[in-house]
Amino acid sequence: QVQLVESGGGLVQPGGSLRLSCAASGSILSINMMGWYRQAPGKERELVAVIGSGGTTNYADSVKGRFTISRDYAKNTVYLRMNSLKPEDTAVYYCNAFVRRPDSGYYFSEYWGQGTQVTVSS
């Protein structure tokens, strides 16, 4: 199987910064898209940022210019650098990846991490 393990969440003051990490491990042949989603209380889960296998990135309008997604392909790890954090960024952040396993042919399966809490408050 495949596991996604996030780290780096926590409590930060408005204007502060955090870096989230997500490492994929297990039976992995290759990874296509990796990304971050978030879910605030009472709201639906929403895309924050994604990065493709070739490095192409896409961001939610609400985080453009403040957040940066990056990826270490050798370590199957994706990062999210979050600057100029605002209270409205408070949410549980989930890592997402499309993984091809050795036993799945050319099929990519979607996996989610367990989530990490980010709280922006003074």
Side-chain angles (χ1 to χ4, degrees):
Q1 273 293 350
V2 175
Q3 298 81 38
L4 302 182
V5 179
E6 301 117 331
S7 61
L11 173 64
V12 63
Q13 293 186 343
S17 298
L18 281 175
R19 190 180 83 151
L20 305 182
S21 301
C22 170
S25 63
S27 183
I28 298 171
L29 187 58
S30 63
I31 301 177
N32 189 355
M33 191 81 69
M34 297 189 82
W36 293 93
Y37 290 72
R38 68 186 180 187
Q39 188 168 18
K43 295 187 176 181
E44 293 187 353
R45 190 173 298 188
E46 63 176 2
L47 180 146
V48 176
V50 293
I51 182 167
S53 57
T56 301
T57 59
N58 188 35
Y59 295 91
D61 288 343
S62 59
V63 307
K64 283 181 181 177
R66 300 188 298 122
F67 291 11
T68 302
I69 190 170
S70 61
R71 186 168 165 179
D72 186 326
Y73 294 87
K75 295 181 179 180
N76 288 332
T77 299
V78 63
Y79 306 96
L80 185 68
R81 177 66 179 180
M82 305 184 291
N83 296 328
S84 303
L85 282 160
K86 304 175 181 180
E88 50 264 43
D89 294 317
T90 296
V92 177
Y93 283 69
Y94 296 91
C95 178
N96 173 271
F98 285 85
V99 177
R100 181 183 168 197
R101 302 194 314 268
D103 62 345
S104 65
Y106 291 99
Y107 183 71
F108 284 82
S109 299
E110 185 176 25
Y111 292 90
W112 291 91
Q114 80 285 355
T116 185
Q117 177 70 45
V118 171
T119 302
V120 185
S121 175
S122 55

